[in-house]
Amino acid sequence: MLIRGESAIVTGAASGLGAATAQRLAEQGAKVAVLDFDLTGAERVAGEIGGIAVQVDVSDADAVKSAVDAACEGLGQVPRIAVNCAGVGLAARIVGREGKLSFDVFEKTLKVNLFGTYHVMSHAAARMVELEPLETTERGVIVNTASVAYEDGQVGQAAYSASKGAIAAMCLPAAREFARHGIRVVAIAPGLFHTPMMEGLPEEVTTKITADIPFPARLGQPEEYALLAEQIITNPFLNGTTIRLDGAVRLPPR
C-alpha cells in the first residue's frame, strides 16, 4: 500500500515508538491521528506533523470507539492504516515478598496492552471493511506491537509477556479473518529500545542491558521501529506474522 495520500491512526503516539511512527508516516505523506492517554503529548506531536490529536484510554472499548470515530471525522476519511503502540511495562513477581500476589498488575497490564490492542484493531477494522479496495485489492493494514518478551520473558515479566504473547498469537487468526476484506495484520516484536521506559533507568543498568545485544550493540531507536512499520505497510505480501526487531538479542532470565 502506498502511504502518500492515505490516513492513519497511531496509538501511544505521544512518545516513543508511537511518536516516531506518526512522524514517519506523516513524512511519507499520510495524515495522522495521534491517539494517546496523554492529550498534551498527543497535541504536541500532532502539531509537529500536521496531524490531529485524540485522547483515549485504550483499555476502555467505548472510549476507543469514540476515539476512532473522532479520528475519522478529524481526518476526513476512514484510515486505511492503524498502528498500535500504546502499552505499559509494569513488572512484578507472581508471588512477591511475604507472599504478596500481583494479580492487580496482571489485570492492568492485560487491559492496556492486550485488550487495548484488540479494541483498536476491532474498531479500526470495522471501519476499514466499508472502504473501497485499492488497485492492489487492499483495504487496510493493521500493525500491532508485541515484544521479544513474548518468547524471552524475564523474571517479573509474567504479566507483560502474557500480554505481548497474546498479541503475537492473535496475529495469524486476525489476518486470516480479515483476508476476505483485503486487510492485513502484522505484529512487530521490538527488543530493547530507547523509549521513555528505558530513559528512566540508571546508566549502569542501561550499559548492562546493551551488553547483551549482539549487533548493533546498542538500544534500538524508535525510528527503526517506525521504518519497519512503514515497510510492513508498503509490502503487500507481509501478513499474519510477528517480526522480531531486536539486534539478535535473546533476553536472559534476569
Side-chain angles (χ1 to χ4, degrees):
M1 178 187 298
L2 294 177
I3 294 173
R4 184 164 301 279
E6 298 297 345
S7 59
I9 289 173
V10 183
T11 70
S15 62
L17 305 180
T21 301
Q23 176 73 42
R24 182 86 187 185
L25 294 178
E27 289 172 353
Q28 298 305 308
K31 189 172 182 181
V32 183
V34 178
L35 274 62
D36 205 288
F37 187 75
D38 173 12
L39 181 58
T40 300
E43 289 175 336
R44 174 183 54 79
V45 173
E48 293 171 353
I49 66 173
I52 64 167
V54 181
Q55 184 176 33
V56 65
D57 175 358
V58 295
S59 69
D60 183 331
D62 291 336
V64 170
K65 181 183 183 303
S66 296
V68 172
D69 289 344
C72 292
E73 182 177 352
L75 294 168
Q77 62 186 124
V78 173
R80 292 188 186 271
I81 300 164
V83 184
N84 279 300
C85 294
V88 294
L90 306 177
R93 291 176 180 258
I94 299 169
V95 181
R97 294 179 181 177
E98 300 177 354
K100 183 180 184 305
L101 305 184
S102 60
F103 183 76
D104 57 333
V105 173
F106 190 87
E107 183 176 40
K108 180 174 182 178
T109 302
L110 263 68
K111 279 185 175 179
V112 176
N113 293 358
L114 176 58
F115 293 2
T117 297
Y118 190 88
H119 293 327
V120 175
M121 178 173 66
S122 301
H123 286 291
R127 300 300 294 266
M128 289 177 187
V129 298
E130 301 170 357
L131 295 169
E132 288 297 316
L134 299 170
E135 290 183 3
T136 59
T137 71
E138 292 179 279
R139 281 190 172 88
V141 57
I142 298 167
V143 180
N144 295 327
T145 304
S147 165
V148 296
Y150 93 95
E151 292 184 317
D152 308 342
Q154 297 179 295
V155 172
Q157 285 190 328
Y160 185 72
S161 295
S163 69
K164 296 301 188 176
I167 289 170
M170 72 181 180
C171 182
L172 180 59
R176 286 173 165 171
E177 176 181 339
F178 297 142
R180 67 191 181 96
H181 299 295
I183 299 171
R184 295 184 289 118
V185 182
V186 178
I188 300 174
L192 302 168
F193 270 69
H194 194 275
T195 63
M197 278 190 267
M198 282 289 187
E199 288 169 3
L201 297 176
E203 185 177 347
E204 61 272 19
V205 174
T206 302
T207 300
K208 182 178 184 301
I209 288 172
T210 55
D212 293 327
I213 303 173
F215 185 81
R218 60 168 173 77
L219 296 176
Q221 295 300 318
E223 293 77 15
E224 292 167 321
Y225 174 99
L227 175 60
L228 181 54
E230 177 195 348
Q231 291 164 337
I232 290 168
I233 294 163
T234 57
N235 188 331
F237 210 58
L238 276 173
N239 195 16
T241 192
T242 299
I243 304 170
R244 287 183 67 123
L245 183 65
D246 59 17
V249 75
R250 296 298 181 268
L251 302 181
R254 288 180 174 80

